[in-house]
Amino acid sequence: MISRRKVIKSISAIPFLGFLGASGISTAAAMTGLYPMDVKKTSIKRDYFKELGVRTFINAAGTYTALTASLMPKEVIESIHYASHHYVSLDELQEKVGARIASMLRCEDALVSSGAFSAIVYATAASMTGKDQEKIKQLPDDLRGIKDEIIIQKAHRFGYDRAVRNCGGKLVEVETKQDLENAVNEKTAMMFFFNDANNRGKIKDKEFVELGKKHNIPTFNDCAADVPPVENLWKYTGMGFDMVAFSGGKGLEGPQSAGLLLGRKDLIEAARLNMPPRANLGRGMKVNKEEVLAMLIALELFLERDHEKQWEIWENEIRYIQQSVADIRGITTEMYVPEIANHVPSLRIVFDNSITRHSPREIKEALVKGKPSIEVANATENALHLTTWMMDKGEEKIVARRLAEELRE
Ligand SMILES: *Cc1c(COP(=O)(O)O)cnc(C)c1O
């Protein structure tokens, strides 16, 4: 593996350095956590992944779980290191971290789950069992006396809604407001909303919340991939959703196996009763003390960050890549920002397949196989997508150079 310093050095040799220069990573931007990095600048001598033959790469894709999504800032790693030196009571830690997170995010209570997926499991379980110890023991297969129907709009169905079924919950699909009101009955436990699908469903977020309140049914909103913007961390609990989930290791740059469930105190308390250390539904989704603490610290850092400055950096990095491929025949580029999930500056490279020799998929593969290896987001018939969101300082120059090389081929 080429060392970071070597990469930086070799790219300083190319003429177009762009706005930030490429003079290493100990700049003001680095200090204020505008880049995940710093992780790579470590004193660790062993190259574990190299020893294993595991490929590492520049992440121009974004926060894909399969690609390990994000890197934790130095302060977050330090908190993991700190926690690893102490014993604590897991319940006490969860409660105190939860209270701190709740005060930072202006909600009643919070817990650290093992990812947004498990936050969905806990939200569902809490809605099904409340604080009833018998019901907690019954999940997920003995549903006698338990409300087990979870209402969801048809347009909001997606892969991760299977978390509801992990609890024994049954998804009841509706389309219109009238459908929803007809579907409500004494078995209804929760109403599930997938934030990214807001524009696709007939019932929008605010109306969904109103319906939940009208029928006295807890509403849940899955916002896993929906920071930035930072305000989303309090927008949806503020709107009245009873529970809201975020992924810890996507935009928040906390541990990849951590997540947040925010919301109503009684429901978060019920959710906790379904969590480890008790041998219950959540026992296999344990979050260790290191990650519980690290989630809090990641959140602190994220809230402190200069989000406007960060946005400007991302845009400049995208523009740098655009300029580097601007004169290549057969392609055009466009900067865009997805509306809800992954709401960050992104680049679409559109291919005129009658002119270009290679398809977007072939270019994507060539970038993976190249040195250094680079992962971009999805490739379609005629377009390649990428973002500098999860990239380290200076890596946009490497990506720009490799893209130009492959596209000129
Ligand atoms: C990523 C994602 C999840 C799962 O998040 P983890 O933190 O990886 O468990 C759930 N829902 C949505 C909408 C997501 O984007």
PDB file of all heavy atoms in Angstrom, residues 129-138 273:
ATOM      1  N   THR A 129     -44.340  -3.953  22.985  1.00  0.00           N
ATOM      2  CA  THR A 129     -44.317  -4.479  24.353  1.00  0.00           C
ATOM      3  C   THR A 129     -44.586  -3.435  25.426  1.00  0.00           C
ATOM      4  O   THR A 129     -44.987  -3.795  26.537  1.00  0.00           O
ATOM      5  CB  THR A 129     -42.943  -5.101  24.688  1.00  0.00           C
ATOM      6  OG1 THR A 129     -41.951  -4.058  24.681  1.00  0.00           O
ATOM      7  CG2 THR A 129     -42.547  -6.164  23.674  1.00  0.00           C
ATOM      8  N   GLY A 130     -44.320  -2.174  25.131  1.00  0.00           N
ATOM      9  CA  GLY A 130     -44.296  -1.185  26.198  1.00  0.00           C
ATOM     10  C   GLY A 130     -43.313  -1.667  27.246  1.00  0.00           C
ATOM     11  O   GLY A 130     -42.293  -2.276  26.896  1.00  0.00           O
ATOM     12  N   LYS A 131     -43.616  -1.438  28.535  1.00  0.00           N
ATOM     13  CA  LYS A 131     -42.674  -1.871  29.580  1.00  0.00           C
ATOM     14  C   LYS A 131     -43.124  -3.186  30.229  1.00  0.00           C
ATOM     15  O   LYS A 131     -42.671  -3.522  31.326  1.00  0.00           O
ATOM     16  CB  LYS A 131     -42.552  -0.770  30.642  1.00  0.00           C
ATOM     17  CG  LYS A 131     -41.919   0.500  30.069  1.00  0.00           C
ATOM     18  CD  LYS A 131     -41.762   1.563  31.131  1.00  0.00           C
ATOM     19  CE  LYS A 131     -41.741   2.945  30.515  1.00  0.00           C
ATOM     20  NZ  LYS A 131     -41.819   4.004  31.521  1.00  0.00           N
ATOM     21  N   ASP A 132     -44.003  -3.901  29.556  1.00  0.00           N
ATOM     22  CA  ASP A 132     -44.548  -5.147  30.094  1.00  0.00           C
ATOM     23  C   ASP A 132     -43.534  -6.292  29.970  1.00  0.00           C
ATOM     24  O   ASP A 132     -43.233  -6.760  28.874  1.00  0.00           O
ATOM     25  CB  ASP A 132     -45.833  -5.470  29.312  1.00  0.00           C
ATOM     26  CG  ASP A 132     -46.557  -6.684  29.852  1.00  0.00           C
ATOM     27  OD1 ASP A 132     -45.886  -7.654  30.275  1.00  0.00           O
ATOM     28  OD2 ASP A 132     -47.799  -6.655  29.843  1.00  0.00           O
ATOM     29  N   GLN A 133     -43.028  -6.718  31.116  1.00  0.00           N
ATOM     30  CA  GLN A 133     -41.960  -7.738  31.128  1.00  0.00           C
ATOM     31  C   GLN A 133     -42.377  -9.049  30.455  1.00  0.00           C
ATOM     32  O   GLN A 133     -41.570  -9.700  29.797  1.00  0.00           O
ATOM     33  CB  GLN A 133     -41.507  -8.021  32.569  1.00  0.00           C
ATOM     34  CG  GLN A 133     -40.686  -6.899  33.192  1.00  0.00           C
ATOM     35  CD  GLN A 133     -39.358  -6.652  32.487  1.00  0.00           C
ATOM     36  OE1 GLN A 133     -38.902  -7.451  31.678  1.00  0.00           O
ATOM     37  NE2 GLN A 133     -38.728  -5.516  32.772  1.00  0.00           N
ATOM     38  N   GLU A 134     -43.644  -9.419  30.641  1.00  0.00           N
ATOM     39  CA  GLU A 134     -44.117 -10.657  30.014  1.00  0.00           C
ATOM     40  C   GLU A 134     -44.049 -10.550  28.495  1.00  0.00           C
ATOM     41  O   GLU A 134     -43.555 -11.440  27.817  1.00  0.00           O
ATOM     42  CB  GLU A 134     -45.565 -10.968  30.448  1.00  0.00           C
ATOM     43  CG  GLU A 134     -45.646 -11.688  31.782  1.00  0.00           C
ATOM     44  CD  GLU A 134     -44.661 -12.857  31.906  1.00  0.00           C
ATOM     45  OE1 GLU A 134     -44.696 -13.746  31.028  1.00  0.00           O
ATOM     46  OE2 GLU A 134     -43.848 -12.860  32.857  1.00  0.00           O
ATOM     47  N   LYS A 135     -44.531  -9.435  27.987  1.00  0.00           N
ATOM     48  CA  LYS A 135     -44.547  -9.231  26.526  1.00  0.00           C
ATOM     49  C   LYS A 135     -43.119  -9.178  25.981  1.00  0.00           C
ATOM     50  O   LYS A 135     -42.837  -9.681  24.892  1.00  0.00           O
ATOM     51  CB  LYS A 135     -45.310  -7.949  26.173  1.00  0.00           C
ATOM     52  CG  LYS A 135     -46.811  -8.081  26.426  1.00  0.00           C
ATOM     53  CD  LYS A 135     -47.542  -6.796  26.093  1.00  0.00           C
ATOM     54  CE  LYS A 135     -49.051  -6.998  26.336  1.00  0.00           C
ATOM     55  NZ  LYS A 135     -49.778  -5.727  26.344  1.00  0.00           N
ATOM     56  N   ILE A 136     -42.236  -8.577  26.745  1.00  0.00           N
ATOM     57  CA  ILE A 136     -40.834  -8.485  26.324  1.00  0.00           C
ATOM     58  C   ILE A 136     -40.265  -9.899  26.168  1.00  0.00           C
ATOM     59  O   ILE A 136     -39.559 -10.189  25.211  1.00  0.00           O
ATOM     60  CB  ILE A 136     -40.031  -7.630  27.335  1.00  0.00           C
ATOM     61  CG1 ILE A 136     -40.437  -6.157  27.170  1.00  0.00           C
ATOM     62  CG2 ILE A 136     -38.517  -7.805  27.145  1.00  0.00           C
ATOM     63  CD1 ILE A 136     -39.976  -5.247  28.293  1.00  0.00           C
ATOM     64  N   LYS A 137     -40.645 -10.787  27.105  1.00  0.00           N
ATOM     65  CA  LYS A 137     -40.187 -12.175  27.022  1.00  0.00           C
ATOM     66  C   LYS A 137     -40.806 -12.896  25.827  1.00  0.00           C
ATOM     67  O   LYS A 137     -40.193 -13.780  25.242  1.00  0.00           O
ATOM     68  CB  LYS A 137     -40.581 -12.941  28.302  1.00  0.00           C
ATOM     69  CG  LYS A 137     -39.647 -12.695  29.468  1.00  0.00           C
ATOM     70  CD  LYS A 137     -40.020 -13.615  30.643  1.00  0.00           C
ATOM     71  CE  LYS A 137     -39.560 -13.003  31.960  1.00  0.00           C
ATOM     72  NZ  LYS A 137     -40.495 -13.275  33.059  1.00  0.00           N
ATOM     73  N   GLN A 138     -42.032 -12.520  25.483  1.00  0.00           N
ATOM     74  CA  GLN A 138     -42.757 -13.224  24.421  1.00  0.00           C
ATOM     75  C   GLN A 138     -42.184 -12.997  23.018  1.00  0.00           C
ATOM     76  O   GLN A 138     -42.286 -13.866  22.161  1.00  0.00           O
ATOM     77  CB  GLN A 138     -44.224 -12.786  24.431  1.00  0.00           C
ATOM     78  CG  GLN A 138     -45.085 -13.505  25.452  1.00  0.00           C
ATOM     79  CD  GLN A 138     -46.473 -12.867  25.523  1.00  0.00           C
ATOM     80  OE1 GLN A 138     -46.805 -12.256  26.528  1.00  0.00           O
ATOM     81  NE2 GLN A 138     -47.271 -12.987  24.470  1.00  0.00           N
ATOM     82  N   LEU A 273     -35.607  -1.763  27.709  1.00  0.00           N
ATOM     83  CA  LEU A 273     -35.906  -3.046  28.351  1.00  0.00           C
ATOM     84  C   LEU A 273     -35.762  -4.210  27.361  1.00  0.00           C
ATOM     85  O   LEU A 273     -35.631  -5.360  27.764  1.00  0.00           O
ATOM     86  CB  LEU A 273     -37.314  -3.020  28.956  1.00  0.00           C
ATOM     87  CG  LEU A 273     -37.516  -2.013  30.087  1.00  0.00           C
ATOM     88  CD1 LEU A 273     -38.973  -1.982  30.523  1.00  0.00           C
ATOM     89  CD2 LEU A 273     -36.605  -2.336  31.276  1.00  0.00           C
TER      90      LEU A 273
END
